[in-house]
Amino acid sequence: KLFKRKIVYHFHNKGVYTRQNKLFDNLLYKFVFKNTQVILLSKYLYTDVQKYIPENLVHYCSNGILDKQRGQKEKKRKPEILFLSNLFKTKGILILLEACKILVNKGLDFHCTVVGRWGDITEQQFHSKLKEESLFTYVSHLTEENDIVKDKIMSKSDIFVHPTYNDCFPLVLLEAMRNFLPIISTLEGGIPDIVEDGKTGFLVPQKNPRLLAEKIETLIKNPELRYKMSLAGRAKYEKEFTIDKFEGRLVGILTKIIT
């Protein structure tokens, strides 16, 4: 600011709005954002900075990830559901377990693999929940080791579930699309830019295990729909979310700003 350089903030998270009503933070935000421009991951995240930046000074640049060779799908006796995230309540893991209980009560045959390190949900709490809901034969947990292990697990899965209620632009959803997985997620952050409801997967309200279970049941019972959505998701990834697409968007935005 002192040397009157053009300043661009490239946000990969959110949270400005959570402190905008505090006196000191509000004054600091006004100074920091004055005469600047902002790059956000999604138009759905604009409300986070709306108080300080007019939308004509905001640019949207969704993330991208490197492509990888597709793993071979295995023929399985039962559909495999995958949850891949560190185990925090806000990622919706407890909501997923409640949905799994509903599916079990309906007599559906499936398996759910939960992959992630322990967060504010401890190993003891997780296994207590499995015991409470009688889910030990339906749900198992793995601690993610590396990208190779993660890709192998994705290649063995049929449905990717991410019932989060605090997220921005989850890269794990791009990874799922890259690996030909239909996605069930929530109306949170920039997720509606990633998942096309009814085409590449389903979007459900947050903290609603009943509706989550309904969508999982739909995909469990319809392998053809799973396949159709998996192809649509992969096509969307190739069109919008490769690393080349991301770099092209970012270069285009910065070029526009400096010219």
Side-chain angles (χ1 to χ4, degrees):
K1 286 180 176 290
L2 182 63
F3 292 98
K4 300 187 183 301
R5 300 299 186 188
K6 291 184 177 180
I7 297 175
V8 184
Y9 297 117
H10 188 181
F11 280 78
H12 282 257
N13 214 318
K14 62 179 182 177
V16 171
Y17 76 97
T18 65
R19 302 188 65 84
Q20 67 184 17
N21 293 322
K22 297 181 181 295
L23 179 61
F24 177 76
D25 296 70
N26 182 50
L27 290 173
L28 188 60
Y29 279 145
K30 286 181 177 179
F31 170 76
V32 167
F33 284 110
K34 185 178 180 180
N35 298 324
T36 68
Q37 297 189 48
V38 168
I39 300 174
L40 300 177
L41 295 169
S42 166
K43 61 182 179 292
Y44 296 102
L45 300 170
Y46 174 58
T47 53
D48 192 45
V49 296
Q50 186 175 13
K51 183 176 180 179
Y52 305 102
I53 298 285
E55 195 163 13
N56 66 306
L57 296 178
V58 176
H59 311 270
Y60 300 107
C61 182
S62 55
N63 277 329
I65 57 174
L66 287 168
D67 197 1
K68 292 185 179 180
Q69 186 68 33
R70 179 188 181 187
Q72 290 295 318
K73 290 286 184 183
E74 296 182 359
K75 293 182 179 180
K76 297 175 291 297
R77 296 181 301 277
K78 63 181 71 175
E80 180 71 40
I81 300 165
L82 176 61
F83 172 94
L84 202 160
S85 175
N86 291 335
L87 274 71
F88 289 94
K89 293 175 183 177
T90 57
K91 299 302 180 182
I93 179 58
L94 298 181
I95 305 300
L96 174 57
L97 294 183
E98 291 180 37
C100 286
K101 179 62 177 179
I102 294 171
L103 296 172
V104 170
N105 289 339
K106 287 188 172 185
L108 293 169
D109 193 19
F110 67 95
H111 181 262
C112 178
T113 301
V114 175
V115 182
R117 296 181 177 86
W118 305 111
D120 60 5
I121 296 174
T122 66
E123 183 174 4
Q124 181 180 0
Q125 289 172 326
F126 180 78
H127 287 102
S128 294
K129 185 67 173 178
L130 294 188
K131 183 177 180 180
E132 176 187 336
E133 304 291 358
S134 302
L135 291 173
F136 274 112
T137 58
Y138 294 90
V139 179
S140 59
H141 173 264
L142 294 173
T143 299
E144 178 192 338
E145 296 292 338
N146 51 49
D147 286 343
I148 295 175
V149 173
K150 183 165 63 174
D151 288 339
K152 185 176 181 180
I153 293 170
M154 282 193 170
S155 71
K156 294 180 178 180
S157 302
D158 300 292
I159 304 166
F160 192 86
V161 181
H162 190 68
T164 179
Y165 48 94
N166 184 18
D167 245 309
C168 194
F169 199 90
L171 291 181
V172 70
L173 298 185
L174 307 188
E175 294 171 343
M177 293 166 67
R178 181 183 67 191
N179 283 277
F180 293 84
L181 288 176
I183 297 168
I184 302 175
S185 192
T186 56
L187 294 160
E188 166 63 17
I191 292 176
D193 273 343
I194 303 173
V195 181
E196 293 185 55
D197 189 38
K199 183 175 180 181
T200 66
F202 294 116
L203 294 174
V204 298
Q206 299 172 16
K207 303 180 183 180
N208 193 318
R210 180 183 62 82
L211 289 180
L212 179 63
E214 285 183 11
K215 296 305 183 183
I216 296 174
E217 180 180 2
T218 296
L219 291 183
I220 286 176
K221 291 182 174 179
N222 293 274
E224 290 184 2
L225 180 60
R226 294 201 306 263
Y227 180 68
K228 182 179 179 180
M229 286 183 165
S230 73
L231 294 182
R234 172 67 193 195
K236 186 175 178 66
Y237 160 73
E238 292 177 354
K239 181 181 178 181
E240 300 181 28
F241 299 125
T242 65
I243 197 70
D244 290 340
K245 298 293 186 181
F246 163 72
E247 290 175 351
R249 283 190 292 269
L250 185 58
V251 169
I253 289 169
L254 295 178
T255 301
K256 178 182 179 182
I257 289 172
I258 64 176
T259 55

